[in-house]
Amino acid sequence: MARSLSDLTINDNSSSAFSDCNSDRSGEFPTPSSQSRRLFIACAADNSDHFIPQLISDLNSSSIHHQKQAALEIRLLAKNKPENRLKIAKAGAINPLISLISSPDLQLQEYGVTAVLNLSLCDENKEIIALSGAIKPLVRALKSGTSTAKENSACALLRLSQVEENKLAIGKAGAIPLLVKLLENGSLRGKKDASTAIYSLCSAKENKVRAVKAGIMKVLVELMADFGSNMVDKSAYVVSVLVTVAEGRAAFVEEGGIPVVVEIVEVGTQRQKEIAVVILVQICEESVVYRKMVGREGAIPPLVALSQSGTNRAKQKAETLIELLRQPRSNNVSTCTS
């Protein structure tokens, strides 16, 4: 049921462009009691079977302080020792942690989100986390949580989306516009996490349309145009998924994407050039109008260069695109406009 990040790629290189979301990257010991917490984790590492039931009991405490301590310590146990993730879930932690995600206390919410993220790294836990009702609370945290809660919610939703049945449920819950907002306004880590989650979710056509309606193309084109953003590759991979639907192609052209990807073909890295030419082929295959627009941007010289010196895949795609541009009125081609 679960899929690895490598299964989400369009080629062998795209996975390294994205966030791994392998565990939370929050500060581990943010309170003055850090020394005692380090001691707890050191002891619990070899005796987790003894500690876990008490921690789960504390999650249900009427004391917010006890709940915070328990959620933080469960989060750390799940982060630092992978085998604890299944133990914690089987011991009954998932439902009380999901309840914490809906807490009005933002720190408690953040700890709940992050603990659920770390448990979701275990493939066996993904389905039960979703079935236990985690998706909607995670989406709410993505909307109104702390910056860390938003980033970790994006990562948790990414992990849950690796179960195919969860993709549409996450989209229906309203995650896509919130992920687009994080992509636009978040920190670099937030942008990376958001782009990875969107890339995974948008293997479903319905979510592609949701992303386009949420205005994602404007954000992606701006990120691709900024070579200092460290987001060119990630944004281009998301675009390559979205332009497989007509709504995505129209939005991409409308937001000025063609000159941006032509420039990437000319001056980008080898990986960037490869994904850029993939996007251009997808744009041009069914539209004479778009071919003319690409030709007017001076695409043929850099495409010729790429056909001679790019990766094997880039060479093949460049040759395909050059042929399309030089024969813009070939038979059986749609003349759809932007």
Side-chain angles (χ1 to χ4, degrees):
M1 296 286 289
R3 302 169 65 208
S4 68
L5 278 181
S6 60
D7 295 326
L8 302 175
T9 65
I10 62 170
N11 64 29
D12 293 335
N13 297 321
S14 62
S15 60
S16 61
F18 286 111
S19 170
D20 52 18
C21 284
N22 280 338
S23 69
D24 73 271
R25 287 149 284 176
S26 313
E28 288 196 7
F29 306 103
T31 70
S33 59
S34 61
Q35 186 173 4
S36 62
R37 193 162 290 117
R38 289 178 190 276
L39 179 61
F40 167 83
I41 294 299
C43 294
D46 296 320
N47 300 282
S48 58
D49 291 345
H50 173 72
F51 286 100
I52 288 170
Q54 181 58 51
L55 292 175
I56 294 173
S57 176
D58 288 345
L59 289 177
N60 294 303
S61 170
S62 59
S63 165
I64 288 181
H65 174 73
H66 288 161
Q67 289 179 313
K68 286 182 180 179
Q69 290 290 105
L72 177 59
E73 288 160 0
I74 285 175
R75 176 197 124 199
L76 295 175
L77 284 174
K79 176 178 180 177
N80 293 312
K81 200 168 185 184
E83 54 265 38
N84 284 335
R85 295 166 187 161
L86 191 56
K87 288 182 183 179
I88 292 168
K90 286 184 174 180
I94 290 174
N95 283 326
L97 285 172
I98 291 172
S99 295
L100 298 189
I101 300 176
S102 298
S103 171
D105 185 295
L106 292 182
Q107 187 179 53
L108 183 56
Q109 180 192 63
E110 179 185 314
Y111 289 172
V113 166
T114 310
V116 168
L117 163 61
N118 287 351
L119 293 180
S120 74
L121 302 177
C122 173
D123 287 344
E124 290 91 332
N125 289 341
K126 291 181 173 71
E127 187 171 6
I128 187 62
I129 289 172
L131 291 174
S132 297
I135 290 173
K136 288 183 178 179
L138 286 169
V139 171
R140 287 195 294 270
L142 186 60
K143 180 178 182 179
S144 58
T146 66
S147 59
T148 297
K150 290 178 181 179
E151 292 166 355
N152 288 342
S153 292
C155 275
L157 291 169
L158 162 66
R159 288 294 169 181
L160 297 183
S161 75
Q162 291 164 357
V163 177
E164 194 67 27
E165 289 80 357
N166 292 337
K167 293 182 189 292
L168 290 181
I170 293 170
K172 288 177 181 177
I176 302 289
L178 298 172
L179 289 167
V180 172
K181 186 175 180 180
L182 182 61
L183 178 65
E184 182 176 17
N185 300 319
S187 66
L188 179 58
R189 178 204 156 178
K191 291 177 188 294
K192 192 172 183 181
D193 293 342
S195 67
T196 311
I198 292 167
Y199 182 73
S200 173
L201 290 167
C202 286
S203 64
K205 180 179 178 180
E206 294 91 332
N207 288 338
K208 294 174 188 177
V209 176
R210 289 187 176 105
V212 173
K213 288 182 177 179
I216 193 173
M217 277 302 181
K218 180 177 186 295
V219 180
L220 292 172
V221 170
E222 289 176 352
L223 289 171
M224 284 195 300
D226 182 1
F227 282 88
S229 69
N230 198 30
M231 288 292 298
V232 175
D233 305 53
K234 304 165 193 63
S235 301
Y237 280 116
V238 177
V239 168
S240 73
V241 173
L242 297 177
V243 295
T244 59
V245 296
E247 297 91 336
R249 293 190 291 274
F252 178 75
V253 174
E254 183 177 344
E255 295 297 343
I258 287 177
V260 172
V261 288
V262 170
E263 182 181 11
I264 292 173
V265 171
E266 187 170 5
V267 302
T269 65
Q270 286 297 318
R271 180 165 69 179
Q272 290 166 358
K273 290 178 179 182
E274 179 180 313
I275 189 60
V277 75
V278 167
I279 292 168
L280 288 172
V281 169
Q282 290 169 317
I283 289 290
C284 291
E285 275 181 329
E286 297 184 4
S287 175
V288 172
V289 173
Y290 294 164
R291 293 179 199 176
K292 290 181 177 180
M293 294 173 70
V294 171
R296 284 198 297 267
E297 292 297 328
I300 288 183
L303 285 171
V304 171
L306 186 62
S307 71
Q308 298 170 349
S309 62
T311 65
N312 288 336
R313 186 165 185 260
K315 288 178 180 179
Q316 182 263 317
K317 292 294 183 181
E319 290 169 358
T320 298
L321 185 55
I322 290 168
E323 184 175 350
L324 284 172
L325 296 179
R326 287 177 171 168
Q327 299 176 358
R329 298 189 181 276
S330 57
N331 292 331
N332 299 319
V333 175
S334 167
T335 57
C336 61
T337 70
S338 62

